[in-house]
Amino acid sequence: LGSAPRARPPQALRPVADAVPPAPPSAVPAAAAVSVGGSLHRFTWGLCLVLMSAGLWALRSALRRAEAERGLGRERPGGFAQPLGSAWAMASSAEEVEGEDSSSEEPDVRWLPTFPLSEDSAAAPDEMVMPVFFLGESVYLPGARPDLNIFEPRYCEMYNNIIMNGSRRFVVPLLGTAPAPPDSSAAAQDKRDSLQIAEYGAVFYVEEFKKIDEETGGRIKYLCEHRVIGAARIKRILNPRNLKDRSTYVRAVVEDVNMDLDEGENVKGAELQLTRTFERVVQLHSKIDDAEAVRFSREVLIADNLGTRGVDGTFWHTANLWQALVQERLLLLQQERAKGEAAIVRQFLTETGEWRPQLRLMDLPENLQVKFRQLQEDFREEAAPLRDLLTRFFQTLIQEGRHEKRLEMMQEIMDQEAMRLQAKSSLQDLFDS
């Protein structure tokens, strides 16, 4: 990619390494399940109440979506019917009904149309041109402060140019992979030909620019600190062939995005509702504590209104915190998978009594191969919805131009998390009793 992001540890999240996993049901004191007519009976009824409340909530959400579809109620933008950590529904633009207003559809990522990688073009005098920096499947939100280590020549050239001309800005769009055409084999298709570039990207502004090639022995040339100051819409790529040969950085014709098309509208009620829900999530994180490995601390509650509009408003601060929460949960899953894989390898080496510098999956006995594959499958299943949130949900958040709709989208996600935590807290109370 030509850069190595330097992660800043989220100050508002508890460290994963210090988290204590929840105690298994077998760790509950025996006295808690002695009498069928006592606490076990209360536990059974409590579990029923939790499940009933979850069922009622699901029914309520379904009715609200049905009303929106019939045009009887207020439009629901998100349709996020699953809790944080589960897949959230997203309608494809191909599913839009011809002749109907597309605003009633659930949001999806807007990708640039397919274009040949061999035809360069020039910008008109009145068009805005901005460098494009690709950071893979990463979405950056306004207010974020990413640090990058720059070492690839084309991006070193880019930084030299934007520092010299004083613009200090470039756009970072989400990258995806387009499905291969049905008449072409995946092997024959150039990997770069299958790239998808999101139409909307974050605008980075370079705040600090340090040359560190002497300190790093030439491995890294620049250390740069940035601030995301907004979003831009990419209209077209000017030099697409450089996507392939990488001889220089990519440039694009862009336009600045107005992220507050509904400025002047009173959405104070929705902002305060989002704030109350966020506070409830933080309270539940504090209550269940060690039962939730990644959780918010109370220090995140920085204002009475956590949903104010504007690039420097508290809404984007809240969205960045939520993104960090999901990232940390995905990291925890990756750590758990790595530990599981290492345990399988140790078991094999212990049983065989031999050391191998290289070990392939086929070298393992059948039972360990099955165990290894199951571990990977479990990880993919659990990680997929988190990755979906980190890419598609947050991407649709920055391409949405109305503050009110962004509030509704975040509200849906927070409602699901609050519901999940409330059920977990209720079960914890029953075990404690």
Side-chain angles (χ1 to χ4, degrees):
L1 293 176
S3 73
R6 297 172 63 246
R8 291 179 178 175
Q11 299 299 321
L13 295 176
R14 300 288 182 86
V16 174
D18 295 336
V20 178
S26 59
V28 177
V34 168
S35 171
V36 174
S39 56
L40 181 59
H41 185 68
R42 291 196 303 273
F43 168 77
T44 304
W45 276 106
L47 181 59
C48 290
L49 289 174
V50 171
L51 294 176
M52 286 172 63
S53 64
L56 288 173
W57 179 89
L59 178 60
R60 167 180 166 271
S61 297
L63 289 174
R64 289 168 72 182
R65 289 195 302 274
E67 285 180 357
E69 290 174 1
R70 293 196 304 269
L72 300 177
R74 196 174 175 188
E75 178 188 336
R76 303 299 300 174
F80 310 130
Q82 301 295 328
L84 181 63
S86 299
W88 56 287
M90 184 177 295
S92 168
S93 58
E95 297 172 351
E96 294 182 3
V97 179
E98 185 177 357
E100 290 189 357
D101 184 4
S102 62
S103 64
S104 63
E105 296 292 334
E106 294 173 357
D108 201 356
V109 176
R110 300 173 194 168
W111 303 101
L112 287 177
T114 304
F115 52 87
L117 298 184
S118 56
E119 299 179 6
D120 291 356
S121 60
D126 59 340
E127 290 182 318
M128 182 191 305
V129 177
M130 197 177 292
V132 182
F133 198 150
F134 298 109
L135 288 172
E137 296 182 348
S138 298
V139 178
Y140 294 87
L141 304 178
R145 293 182 173 273
D147 296 345
L148 298 177
N149 294 322
I150 308 302
F151 54 85
E152 192 172 334
R154 57 174 174 163
Y155 290 127
C156 292
E157 176 191 3
M158 184 195 83
Y159 274 86
N160 287 335
N161 290 342
I162 63 176
I163 295 298
M164 290 295 294
N165 64 31
S167 67
R168 289 179 171 256
R169 300 198 309 167
F170 56 91
V171 61
V172 179
L174 171 70
L175 283 183
T177 304
D183 57 346
S184 66
S185 66
Q189 187 182 27
D190 190 307
K191 184 178 180 180
R192 297 186 186 92
D193 290 341
S194 66
L195 284 180
Q196 282 184 311
I197 301 174
E199 186 178 342
Y200 289 76
V203 176
F204 279 41
Y205 181 83
V206 182
E207 292 195 323
E208 293 290 338
F209 179 79
K210 300 177 183 177
K211 190 175 181 181
I212 59 170
D213 52 344
E214 292 184 1
E215 294 92 322
T216 62
R219 291 183 296 105
I220 299 173
K221 188 168 185 179
Y222 300 126
L223 168 60
C224 303
E225 298 178 8
H226 311 80
R227 179 167 56 94
V228 179
I229 60 174
R233 175 177 169 265
I234 299 176
K235 300 175 73 173
R236 71 178 188 278
I237 302 294
L238 292 176
N239 53 334
R241 63 179 178 179
N242 294 129
L243 286 167
K244 268 192 169 183
D245 62 30
R246 302 191 178 193
S247 59
T248 187
Y249 59 92
V250 174
R251 296 172 296 111
V253 173
V254 305
E255 61 181 11
D256 286 325
V257 173
N258 181 359
M259 306 193 77
D260 283 303
L261 296 174
D262 57 350
E263 187 174 5
E265 295 184 14
N266 186 0
V267 293
K268 185 71 173 292
E271 292 174 355
L272 293 179
Q273 181 185 3
L274 186 77
T275 302
R276 288 191 295 269
T277 306
F278 190 82
E279 290 172 346
R280 179 60 178 158
V281 168
V282 174
Q283 290 169 0
L284 289 168
H285 279 174
S286 177
K287 181 181 179 182
I288 62 179
D289 201 34
D290 290 339
E292 194 72 12
V294 180
R295 56 195 178 275
F296 287 126
S297 66
R298 292 186 179 274
E299 286 77 10
V300 300
L301 303 176
I302 62 169
D304 295 332
N305 187 338
L306 297 173
T308 57
R309 68 169 73 244
V311 172
D312 297 320
T314 55
F315 172 84
W316 289 113
H317 171 80
T318 303
N320 274 290
L321 285 173
W322 205 269
Q323 186 184 50
L325 180 76
V326 182
Q327 289 171 337
E328 288 296 309
R329 286 182 174 171
L330 181 59
L331 177 61
L332 182 62
L333 281 180
Q334 292 170 336
Q335 292 172 344
E336 291 174 346
R337 181 193 65 173
K339 289 178 182 177
E341 292 173 348
I344 293 174
V345 173
R346 282 197 303 269
Q347 180 182 346
F348 171 74
L349 297 177
T350 301
E351 292 175 352
T352 59
E354 59 177 287
W355 169 255
R356 299 187 186 185
Q358 292 184 343
L359 189 64
R360 299 170 299 174
L361 181 60
M362 63 182 66
D363 295 330
L364 300 177
E366 183 64 29
N367 64 318
L368 292 184
Q369 287 188 34
V370 171
K371 190 175 179 180
F372 195 92
R373 290 193 182 97
Q374 185 61 51
L375 182 69
Q376 292 182 319
E377 181 60 32
D378 291 344
F379 170 77
R380 281 193 293 267
E381 184 178 342
E382 294 183 54
L386 295 177
R387 285 174 169 162
D388 199 48
L389 277 171
L390 289 173
T391 53
R392 291 202 284 178
F393 172 72
F394 288 109
Q395 177 65 26
T396 56
L397 209 60
I398 66 169
Q399 68 189 32
E400 174 53 53
R402 292 187 296 125
H403 180 56
E404 182 181 19
K405 192 155 187 176
R406 285 195 298 267
L407 286 168
E408 292 176 344
M409 293 166 67
M410 280 299 300
Q411 185 67 51
E412 289 280 352
I413 291 295
M414 288 189 185
D415 282 344
Q416 307 311 317
E417 175 72 349
M419 185 66 188
R420 182 186 71 85
L421 293 170
Q422 183 60 62
K424 197 169 185 177
S425 175
S426 299
L427 287 173
Q428 188 181 61
D429 289 344
L430 290 166
F431 277 120
D432 291 342
S433 66

